[in-house]
Amino acid sequence: MRHRLLVSLVIAGTLLAINNLHAEEIKIGMLYPITGGGAIYGSPAQIGHRMGVEEINLDGGLLGLQAISVERDTKLNPATAAAAAKEMITKDGVHVLIGGLSSSVGLAVSEVARQEKVIYIATIAKTIQMTTNKRHNYVFRTASHTDFEGDAMAQIAEKLNAKSICDIQLDYAYGHDLAAGIEKGLARHLPDTKIVLSLRPKLRATDYNVFITQIMGAGCDVVTGGLWGPHFVDFAKQATPFGLFQQIKFIAGGEIGSHEIASTMGRDYPDNVWANSYELWYHHPNEEHKKFHSKLSAQLGTHETTMWPVLAVIGVRMYAAAVKQAGSLDPDLVAEALRGMSIDTPVGPRTIDPTTHQTDTGQFWGPMVKKEGAPYRVMDPITYIPALLSE
Amino acid sequence: MTDPIDRAGIILCLISLATLILIPAVGSNYLVDVTTEILIYSLFALSLNVIIGYSGNVSFGHAAYFAIGGYTNAILLTTYAWPLVASLLASITVTMFITGIVAYFCTRLTDIYFAMLTLAFSMLVWAIAFKWRSVTGGDDGFVGITIPEILDQRINFYYFTVLVVVFSTWILWLICHSAFARSLLAVRENPTRAGFVGINTRLMRWWAFVVAGTFAGLAGALFAMLHRGMYVESAFWTQSATVLIMTLLGGMFSFFGPAIGAATLFLLERITNEYTEYWPTVLGLILIVILLFLPDGLVGLVTKIRNYWTREH
């Protein structure tokens, strides 16, 4: 009788354990703006995030558990993002936070991750602070940062043999940090070249006429700018009639070489622009990119695809690789695994620096040219500038 | 509006207080976080109602004082490593001082001109917070606020917030049920007649503005500590609009109405965001319903139902 009871208890316990194992899931938290002004970047990133989670499950899950995506809209507001991050941790029990578009949202989510001791992987936010003075045990970044971008812009300026530079940056965190990154880059690559004019139009500015005339009168041969998204579109439309792009070469950071900007501007995209992008649908740096592009293209229903999904996929893959290596969901063990973690991605291999927690994410750079058969201006030739602060 | 609280009200207050004390016993960190945030927004909304409900002016810039309190507390605690009590008192004093200056100009105007000037001042505060990057962190926000170790524990901070908010609500209650509040109501109902009976209407409105701004500053200071960060968005006009809707939703002709509105709107937003991305649409619908069918807010609705029930039985 006692023996039968013991066997029954063992069976019941095993069934309960199996049941619990099936009930438990790995919850991958996603934080992107999916409404409002940031949605044009956040919604494609959301697609990428889901693709990353799907990849994990197709691969048999993590530690034998299925992954699910828990998603929140940050509305591009740091206070909203911080509250959402806390809610995802305390209510939904997410194991990791991935995402964050703007620098302020990235820093706010990072602060929550620090308090709650949960891993946060920043996939888009570029502020240098996240991996320098605001770095902590649980924050990692797979995006590039302003020092890398500034250094790449200085390298292009060196190629273009720039003698004097006009710098135009938006008057907020990213603009200020990128300006500092360019200065550091110039000190490395073109120490004799001077920035003769620094301009700071305000964020969401639409009228650039006063800045355009200042640039044209300053006598610079190269302009460096971090006017991302609609800022560059407005600037270019207003500067073209003045002949600015015929007289001065423009090195544009802020992913102005991406599909989003090139397709939006179409015929209005100016000459003499050297721009960057994290990913280009028409450029396959490896075999995996072809497959990734086909899959994304099928999901979006267009042959031309945006670059934001790949950033989100990289964030999810990095976490999955770390969990596999750690063999645990414990944030401290996963953080340990993330330090120095290397993975393959559709845009090449990526490694996290064990000290700074920053991934060596470089970008594709090149002049934007008209090309036979291309629907809009494309980058050609394409150069991958790695994330190295070379001397 | 200035009637003393009845027996049922006292019982309700005691039940609410007991509930607040017992919430951590449930063992849910989420519940503790949500309640902490609701308490802070309740204080923010209650403060705005001193201007709207009592002095009869609409402010479109109340977020400015919330942000001033928040940034002052953040800077003093973190940059200058002040002790908490000194930092909180200084935050209240700084907000009171700045509100006094703003109120001096705003109370010279009435109606839409008053509302527009409050908006203009709040955007000025926003612009300063945005541009003064070396002090406020600008667009990046002031992240990583240092708070005393004892308050670093979630439950401790919760009880600290309960203590501050309950005490502040009690002070606001005393103010809103004093002779000063009766004078304010007279100014709200008929400023000309109030002036004739010897009430300095502008001074009364100035005081109402200062009281409202000061308590908003205290709410901001708590908010900064809760999130360990303060952001320029907290000074933006949309934040002023949110607290205005909270006040209208709960009912501006009731002392506790704005707190009920704050809790309702906050929870509605959280729940809606879990199921759909269309919170702005839901918010728009709420606003339409309030303006068309619930001019006295949720408290007004409950009163109407109670009156109807009493008549029927």
Side-chain angles (χ1 to χ4, degrees):
Chain A
M1 181 67 190
R2 193 181 289 173
H3 181 70
R4 201 178 288 172
L5 185 68
L6 196 67
V7 170
S8 302
L9 279 172
V10 168
I11 291 171
T14 311
L15 285 173
L16 197 68
I18 291 167
N19 187 45
N20 281 342
L21 201 65
H22 281 287
E24 206 180 315
E25 294 153 322
I26 294 189
K27 294 177 179 175
I28 314 243
M30 182 215 84
L31 286 155
Y32 292 113
I34 44 180
T35 57
I40 55 164
Y41 312 109
S43 294
Q46 181 183 33
I47 291 169
H49 183 89
R50 288 175 179 172
M51 284 171 75
V53 173
E54 194 187 313
E55 264 180 20
I56 293 174
N57 290 331
L58 288 174
D59 202 29
L62 279 174
L63 311 178
L65 304 172
Q66 288 288 292
I68 60 160
S69 174
V70 178
E71 302 170 358
R72 289 288 189 284
D73 183 6
T74 64
K75 300 183 173 79
L76 260 188
N77 182 325
T80 306
K86 253 189 189 171
E87 182 183 307
M88 289 163 93
I89 296 165
T90 56
K91 181 165 170 276
D92 302 309
V94 295
H95 296 93
V96 60
L97 298 166
I98 298 177
L101 183 79
S102 66
S103 299
S104 55
V105 164
L107 289 169
V109 175
S110 171
E111 182 57 25
V112 174
R114 188 187 65 77
Q115 284 173 43
E116 303 291 337
K117 296 182 172 49
V118 169
I119 300 285
Y120 168 47
I121 298 176
T123 51
I124 301 178
K126 279 184 182 170
T127 176
I128 189 77
Q129 295 181 57
M130 196 180 284
T131 47
T132 53
N133 59 328
K134 296 271 163 62
R135 183 181 64 239
H136 56 80
N137 200 30
Y138 303 100
V139 66
F140 296 85
R141 175 170 33 210
T142 52
S144 183
H145 66 54
T146 44
D147 274 8
F148 288 158
E149 193 173 22
D151 191 77
M153 290 169 89
Q155 289 182 50
I156 307 267
E158 187 184 16
K159 266 190 198 168
L160 297 175
N161 201 21
K163 297 280 180 274
S164 64
I165 290 176
C166 291
D167 185 48
I168 180 164
Q169 304 293 347
L170 295 169
D171 191 9
Y172 82 114
Y174 167 66
H176 290 276
D177 288 348
L178 183 56
I182 293 169
E183 274 185 38
K184 287 181 217 165
L186 288 175
R188 286 186 204 100
H189 303 288
L190 277 174
D192 297 330
T193 299
K194 294 273 173 280
I195 294 177
V196 293
L197 180 69
S198 293
L199 298 171
R200 301 284 179 267
K202 67 180 193 305
L203 186 68
R204 300 185 190 92
T206 51
D207 182 2
Y208 294 93
N209 282 300
V210 64
F211 303 110
I212 292 163
T213 48
Q214 277 183 273
I215 290 170
M216 295 197 71
C220 46
D221 52 358
V222 164
V223 178
T224 51
L227 306 176
W228 52 266
H231 300 94
F232 181 78
V233 176
D234 288 341
F235 177 88
K237 281 183 181 171
Q238 290 162 34
T240 301
F242 287 93
L244 185 144
F245 293 100
Q246 301 308 317
Q247 293 176 28
I248 308 169
K249 296 174 183 86
F250 200 107
I251 304 171
E255 293 74 48
I256 293 305
S258 64
H259 157 75
E260 291 81 354
I261 304 301
S263 64
T264 302
M265 295 195 75
R267 286 162 180 256
D268 294 331
Y269 203 107
D271 296 322
N272 284 324
V273 175
W274 275 254
N276 62 341
S277 182
Y278 279 108
E279 187 250 7
L280 297 158
W281 61 269
Y282 48 83
H283 174 66
H284 305 296
N286 53 35
E287 274 308 302
E288 200 210 331
H289 185 267
K290 284 183 188 168
K291 289 179 201 159
F292 172 78
H293 174 247
S294 314
K295 200 174 166 187
L296 182 61
S297 179
Q299 287 229 0
L300 297 173
T302 56
H303 182 59
E304 300 89 18
T305 55
T306 104
M307 66 166 198
W308 303 102
V310 80
L311 299 178
V313 166
I314 292 170
V316 177
R317 272 194 197 179
M318 198 62 94
Y319 178 71
V323 168
K324 271 185 192 166
Q325 188 175 306
S328 162
L329 291 171
D330 181 277
D332 288 306
L333 295 176
V334 176
E336 190 54 46
L338 277 168
R339 289 186 206 105
M341 171 58 64
S342 287
I343 58 164
D344 286 322
T345 80
V347 281
R350 293 283 183 268
T351 302
I352 293 180
D353 185 291
T355 313
T356 63
H357 297 189
Q358 169 65 44
T359 307
D360 58 345
T361 302
Q363 289 189 304
F364 297 104
W365 284 87
M368 299 298 287
V369 297
K370 290 175 185 161
K371 211 171 175 185
E372 191 79 17
Y376 43 72
R377 277 188 191 249
V378 291
M379 208 181 274
D380 191 36
I382 298 166
T383 309
Y384 179 74
I385 300 188
L388 295 169
L389 299 179
S390 55
E391 291 300 322
Chain B
M1 193 159 185
T2 56
D3 289 344
I5 197 161
D6 57 15
R7 200 173 155 205
I10 291 171
I11 292 170
L12 207 62
C13 283
L14 288 174
I15 292 172
S16 305
L17 194 59
T19 310
L20 285 176
I21 291 167
L22 290 173
I23 273 179
V26 176
S28 161
N29 285 341
Y30 174 66
L31 191 61
V32 170
D33 283 349
V34 165
T35 315
T36 311
E37 204 148 357
I38 286 174
L39 283 168
I40 293 169
Y41 277 113
S42 297
L43 179 60
F44 189 21
L46 283 170
S47 72
L48 176 64
N49 203 37
V50 179
I51 300 180
I52 297 182
Y54 289 85
S55 78
N57 294 124
V58 177
S59 171
F60 284 145
H62 206 52
Y65 318 107
F66 183 80
I68 290 168
Y71 274 115
T72 308
N73 197 26
I75 292 162
L76 293 178
L77 279 174
T78 313
T79 312
Y80 297 102
W82 279 28
L84 178 68
V85 176
S87 175
L88 268 183
L89 287 175
S91 305
I92 293 168
T93 312
V94 168
T95 316
M96 188 190 275
F97 180 71
I98 295 173
T99 312
I101 295 170
V102 173
Y104 173 79
F105 295 102
C106 290
T107 52
R108 296 168 82 94
L109 305 173
T110 54
D111 306 323
I112 187 73
Y113 306 103
F114 172 89
M116 286 298 109
L117 197 58
T118 56
L119 178 64
F121 274 114
S122 88
M123 291 313 289
L124 198 64
V125 170
W126 175 83
I128 292 169
F130 189 91
K131 295 287 280 185
W132 204 3
R133 196 173 177 225
S134 58
V135 174
T136 62
D139 184 59
D140 275 350
F142 195 110
V143 187
I145 294 173
T146 317
I147 65 169
E149 211 169 305
I150 191 166
L151 293 182
D152 218 10
Q153 303 296 318
R154 179 178 265 112
I155 307 290
N156 293 355
F157 186 78
Y158 170 77
Y159 281 123
F160 174 74
T161 308
V162 170
L163 189 75
V164 173
V165 172
V166 169
F167 181 70
S168 305
T169 306
W170 179 61
I171 300 283
L172 276 172
W173 169 269
L174 291 180
I175 292 171
C176 292
H177 291 81
S178 64
F180 162 69
R182 289 194 179 276
S183 304
L184 266 184
L185 289 177
V187 174
R188 184 191 77 186
E189 293 304 317
N190 194 331
T192 313
R193 185 171 285 187
F196 276 132
V197 297
I199 295 172
N200 185 340
T201 57
R202 204 178 139 201
L203 185 66
M204 287 292 121
R205 289 172 59 228
W206 184 86
W207 270 113
F209 202 114
V210 171
V211 167
T214 305
F215 282 95
L218 180 57
L222 290 172
F223 179 88
M225 288 166 69
L226 170 69
H227 288 292
R228 311 288 196 277
M230 198 66 202
Y231 310 99
V232 287
E233 284 78 0
S234 292
F236 204 55
W237 70 267
T238 45
Q239 179 81 316
S240 298
T242 303
V243 71
L244 186 63
I245 295 170
M246 285 173 174
T247 308
L248 293 175
L249 176 63
M252 60 177 169
F253 298 117
S254 149
F255 178 80
F256 287 110
I260 294 165
T264 311
L265 197 75
F266 183 86
L267 290 173
L268 268 177
E269 183 178 3
R270 282 290 176 100
I271 295 164
T272 310
N273 280 337
E274 271 185 48
Y275 298 103
T276 171
E277 62 203 50
Y278 298 109
W279 166 244
T281 313
V282 176
L283 186 64
L285 290 173
I286 290 170
L287 200 56
I288 290 169
V289 170
I290 299 168
L291 296 176
L292 292 180
F293 307 109
L294 295 172
D296 296 338
L298 294 171
V299 171
L301 177 70
V302 171
T303 310
K304 271 182 194 165
I305 293 169
R306 198 173 59 186
N307 290 345
Y308 177 78
W309 185 262
T310 316
R311 263 204 317 273
E312 288 296 302
H313 296 85

